[in-house]
């Protein structure tokens, strides 16, 4: 059955970026305002699910040629790597560091290794939700 | 490690080498490589005789687990040395015999000699250990190697049955004995036997004294095949004959005797129970064993029951001998003779029973049968075997001039002297001892005669025999000839050969409290005591026994009074089956395979444990002092959740349930909003959406068949349990809230979220910074779940196999 989803698809094209931007906002705002890696990741995957609903699995796979299992694995690596990194400085596992730094393009920026950890969470959540939805969607 | 330790461990070391030798030297019988060790050990132990004769003992120790007081301590005293000599001496003869008994090319010789060496080492360990735990270790090793040896011809069903039976019974006793040892340790604080004996004076008032005694005696009785645990021994006769000769006549079954003798100084001096139990059980075993032996038709069956009865005899003598410990002086102590007789008969029994087993093995080997109904008239074909058998059986029956006569005379002396005891209620029931002993001796006489005359005299029945009988090879005859000559030598020169060298030192170990520093037991063994009651008893035994033997067919029917149906064997088989069946039924009754039932168990346990704890601890307390005021919104949301939850119970369609569940989830998210938890609210909303979508997916894929839309059935028990769980949890939550003991630690987070972690969202800072470790593993859980779903859906091996 071939149906004409032009309205859905057009709206998707517009909303998608709004949702993704919102999710990125949630992710970065996490340390100061409600949000963080978990909900940000869920939002991003929500955007991709919307894409899946408007198009189909193959199209989305073409748009995002990513194996989401690897995304989850990379996320775990980030989380564990952030934790293990603190061992190099002779402090306990998962000790975070933060500080203001002068970065050429952005100027004076506050940086926090907890964000890297949160990035791991973010990637894992995207990877996991997308793997589950894709797998179930593909099965007959 | 001293040479003594090496001597005990050497059989284990050789056992390691046997398979290699067996594999690479196939031309020579493996037994020849084994033979040197017991001979060497025998001569090694032989030189300790001079040591023990002087009343000394040799102790060597290496630590094993010093923190627990467990050391591999070896002590050679009279008793241990006597057993060590028996084990190595008879061991050498049995190995020699087995070389000719087991064919090189038909049998798995490597396993046989490995098991035999294991057994020999374990047995040496049992008799020479001075540490109870080490003794127990070796004890179980003897049970284990005996199990392997009985099941040597494992393709035979009867062998497996016998091995299992002996294993179950001896391990039962072994474990109970371990319990007794631990109790002894609790009372004395040491595992060293010699120290326990030194402290024995204080422990008899302890409440653990009697339990320890009973546990240890159970171990000794099961190992030494005492009534009613004797039933494993006749079934162990499925083992190869060298094994029967070695384990089940000369050594392993005497381990229990050894234990009783070894621990007599601990238990006997203060307890009449010990005397009554050991002597009583021994006498019953003696009588029952000799009585049952008469009706056997299998030669090894006769010998098995005969062993049982002779072990009972030794055991009863040890029990009566314990009375000697009651008097703490040596002079005029007339009960010592029982212990002398026990030690002496121990030696005698090993010699004549070993030779008789070998004779039976020869007969079996040369004729192909052991059934006395088929045998007869072998005297002329096997003259040497016949002579050995004559010596063995006459000694067993207690006829002069063999050693059996001497020990039987002393046995009677010991039993008659029971009449003079005025302790432990002996004066009332003591008369039973000599009477039972006398009757048992008559039966002993009868089965000895049956064994001898039915096999070697009478009519020769060649038609019933599988082979044409002829004399055994010389190698097979040497060991029984040596044993039979020992029977005669001990018969004639017992006094000069044995009394000072072996018997007196052994008695010094059994009855140590009777000796001063310099005194020694004076053992006198002689044929002639004058015309006394023992002599009359022996004459009576011979006279009545001869008549009974000749008229045996006429009174055979007496055995029909004890039908097989009501025997102890049936009891054993029946109880084994009963245990299996009832445990099977029990397991089937509660493990019914329904998850619903298991959940019922879990929840009932849950309700029970929690409510009992609540009431026992008096923890039920409900105060509303520190409760927050209830607002309108909370009340409305609570009503919504309650309505949805109740509606799920009565929903007819599953779709309704899913949607109701979703609405509960969203209401919970609203609660989070209300209670100011924005992160939770956001997450809850998204997650609830995802899970409702997944539920709908499941709903859509339900199988078409049996898809009736119907309401959940009502079960009263289920309702009761769910209400119970709800009530218990509510009560606990309320009590926990009312019983708050300390302030929350959240103040720390409030203060330090920005100071130390540079964040303002406290929830997120806790998640990634303060307690980031949890988060790390939670995302791992998510990853595993995703991979699990992926694996479950993609990996379908069955479908691929079907094509």
């Amino acid at each position: 059955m071939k149906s004409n989803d032009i309205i859905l698809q057009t709206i998707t094209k517009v909303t998608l970026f709004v949702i993704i931007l919102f999710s990125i906002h949630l992710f970065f705002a996490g340390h100061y305002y409600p949000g963080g890696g978990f909900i940000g990741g869920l939002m991003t995957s929500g955007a991709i699910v919307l894409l899946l609903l408007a198009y189909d699995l193959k199209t989305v796979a073409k748009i995002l040629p990513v194996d989401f299992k690897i995304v989850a694995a990379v996320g775990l690596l980030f989380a564990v790597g952030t934790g293990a990194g603190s061992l190099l400085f002779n402090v306990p596992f998962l000790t975070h560091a933060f500080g203001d730094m002068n970065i050429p393009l952005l100027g004076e920026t506050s940086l926090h290794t907890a964000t890297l950890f949160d990035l791991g969470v973010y990637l894992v959540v995207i990877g996991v939700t997308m793997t589950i939805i894709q797998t179930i969607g593909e099965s007959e | 490690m001293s040479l003594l330790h090496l001597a005990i461990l050497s059989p284990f070391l050789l056992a390691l080498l046997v398979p290699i030798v067996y594999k690479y030297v196939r031309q020579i019988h493996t037994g020849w490589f084994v033979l040197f060790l017991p001979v060497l050990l025998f001569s090694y132990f032989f030189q300790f005789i001079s040591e023990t004769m002087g009343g000394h003992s040799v102790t060597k120790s290496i630590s094993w687990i010093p923190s627990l007081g467990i050391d591999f301590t070896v002590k050679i005293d009279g008793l241990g040395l006597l057993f060590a000599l028996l084990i190595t001496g008879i061991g050498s003869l049995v190995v020699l015999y087995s070389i000719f008994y087991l064919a090189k090319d038909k049998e798995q010789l490597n396993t046989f000699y490995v098991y035999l060496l294991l057994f020999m080492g374990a047995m040496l360990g049992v008799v020479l250990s001075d540490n109870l735990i080490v003794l127990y270790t070796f004890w179980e090793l003897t049970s284990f190697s005996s199990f392997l040896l009985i099941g040597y011809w494992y393709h035979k069903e009867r062998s497996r049955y016998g091995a299992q039976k002996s294993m179950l019974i001896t391990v039962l006793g072994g474990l109970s004995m371990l319990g007794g040892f631990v109790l002894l340790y609790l009372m004395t604080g040491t595992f060293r036997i010699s120290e326990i004996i030194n402290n024995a004076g204080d422990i008899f008032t302890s409440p653990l004294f009697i339990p320890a005694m009973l546990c240890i005696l159970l171990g000794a009785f099961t190992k030494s095949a005492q009534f009613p645990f004797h039933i494993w021994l006749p079934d162990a006769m499925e083992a190869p004959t060298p094994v029967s000769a070695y384990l089940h006549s000369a050594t392993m079954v005497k381990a229990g005797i050894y234990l009783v003798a070894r621990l007599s100084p601990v238990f006997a001096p203060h307890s009449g129970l010990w005397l009554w139990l050991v002597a009583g059980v021994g006498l019953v075993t003696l009588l029952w064993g000799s009585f049952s032996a008469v009706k056997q038709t299998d030669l090894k069956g006769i010998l098995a029951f005969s062993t049982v009865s002779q072990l009972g005899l030794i055991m009863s003598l040890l029990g009566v001998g314990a009375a000697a410990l009651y008097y703490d002086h040596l002079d005029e102590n007339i009960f010592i003779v029982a212990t002398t007789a026990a030690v002496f008969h121990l030696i005698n029994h090993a010699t004549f029973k070993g030779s008789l087993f070998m004779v039976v093995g020869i007969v079996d080997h040369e004729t192909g049968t052991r059934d006395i109904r088929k045998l007869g008239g072998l005297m002329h074909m096997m003259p040497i075997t016949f002579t050995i058998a004559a010596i063995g059986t006459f000694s067993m029956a207690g006829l002069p001039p063999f050693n059996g006569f001497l020990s039987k005379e002393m046995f009677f002396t010991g039993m008659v002297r029971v009449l003079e005891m005025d302790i432990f209620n002996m004066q009332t029931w003591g008369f039973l001892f000599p009477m039972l002993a006398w009757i048992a001796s008559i039966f002993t006489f009868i089965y000895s005669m049956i064994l001898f005359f039915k096999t070697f005299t009478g009519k020769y029945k060649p038609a019933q025999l599988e082979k044409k009988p002829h004399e055994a090879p010389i190698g097979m005859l040497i060991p029984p000839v040596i044993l039979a000559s020992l029977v005669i030598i001990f018969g004639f020169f017992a006094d000069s050969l044995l009394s000072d060298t072996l018997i007196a030192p052994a008695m010094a170990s059994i009855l140590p409290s009777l000796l001063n520093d310099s005194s020694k037991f004076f053992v006198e063994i002689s044929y002639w005591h004058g015309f006394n009651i023992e002599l009359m008893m022996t004459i009576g035994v011979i006279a009545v026994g001869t008549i009974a033997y000749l008229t045996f067919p006429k009174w055979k029917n007496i055995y029909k009074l004890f039908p097989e149906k009501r025997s102890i064997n049936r009891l054993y088989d029946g109880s084994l089956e009963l245990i299996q069946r009832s445990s099977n039924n029990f397991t089937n009754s509660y493990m019914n395979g329904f998850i619903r039932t298991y959940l019922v168990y879990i929840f009932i346990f849950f309700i029970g444990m929690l409510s009992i704890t609540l009431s026992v601890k008096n923890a039920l307390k409900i105060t509303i002092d520190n409760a927050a005021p209830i607002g309108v919104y909370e009340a409305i949301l609570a009503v919504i959740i309650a309505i949805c939850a109740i509606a799920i119970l009565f929903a007819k369609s599953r779709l309704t349930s899913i949607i109701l569940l979703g609405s509960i989830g969203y209401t919970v998210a609203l609660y989070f909003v209300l209670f100011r938890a924005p992160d939770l609210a956001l997450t809850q909303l998204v997650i609830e959406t995802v899970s409702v979508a997944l539920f709908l997916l499941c709903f859509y894929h339900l199988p078409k068949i049996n898809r009736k839309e119907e309401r959940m059935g009502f079960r009263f028990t289920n309702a009761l349990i769910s209400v119970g769980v709800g009530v218990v949890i509510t009560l606990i939550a309320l009590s926990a809230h009312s019983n708050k003991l300390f302030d929350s630690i959240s103040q720390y987070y409030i203060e330090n979220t920005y100071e130390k972690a540079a964040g303002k969202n406290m929830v997120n800072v806790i998640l990634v910074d303060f307690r980031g470790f949890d988060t790390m593993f939670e995302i791992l859980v998510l990853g595993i779940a995703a991979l699990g779903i992926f694996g479950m859906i993609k990996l379908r091996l069955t479908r691929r196999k079907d094509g």
Side-chain angles (χ1 to χ4, degrees), chain B residues 709-723:
Chain B
E709 293 264 302
E710 59 183 325
R711 196 165 283 152
M712 206 163 65
F714 179 77
R715 280 166 198 255
F716 183 70
T717 45
N718 288 3
L720 203 67
I721 289 168
S722 4
V723 170

Side-chain angles (χ1 to χ4, degrees), chain B residues 413-425:
Chain B
T413 314
M415 288 299 149
V416 168
R417 287 187 183 170
V418 167
L419 297 173
E420 299 175 33
M421 279 188 206
D422 49 1
I423 44 171
F424 310 138
N425 295 328

Side-chain angles (χ1 to χ4, degrees), chain B residues 460-481:
Chain B
Y460 173 50
K461 303 166 207 162
Q464 294 188 341
L465 300 180
E466 288 168 25
K467 303 176 188 171
K468 189 167 161 42
H470 55 81
E471 190 55 272
I474 182 76
M476 229 163 157
L477 286 171
I478 293 173
V481 164

Side-chain angles (χ1 to χ4, degrees), chain B residues 260-319:
Chain B
V260 168
R262 178 58 86 197
L263 294 178
S264 277
V266 181
F267 293 109
H270 308 288
S271 176
L273 188 64
W274 173 271
L275 190 155
W276 273 106
L277 265 179
V278 176
V281 169
L283 270 182
V284 170
T285 313
L286 165 64
L287 190 62
W288 183 251
S290 57
F291 178 71
S292 304
V294 176
K295 70 171 169 182
Q296 303 298 316
T297 53
D298 177 22
L299 288 176
K300 275 176 109 176
I302 299 178
L303 288 180
F305 277 104
S306 143
T307 306
V308 168
S309 92
Q310 304 276 327
L311 291 169
L313 186 154
I314 301 174
M315 197 64 96
S316 67
L317 280 172
L318 281 175

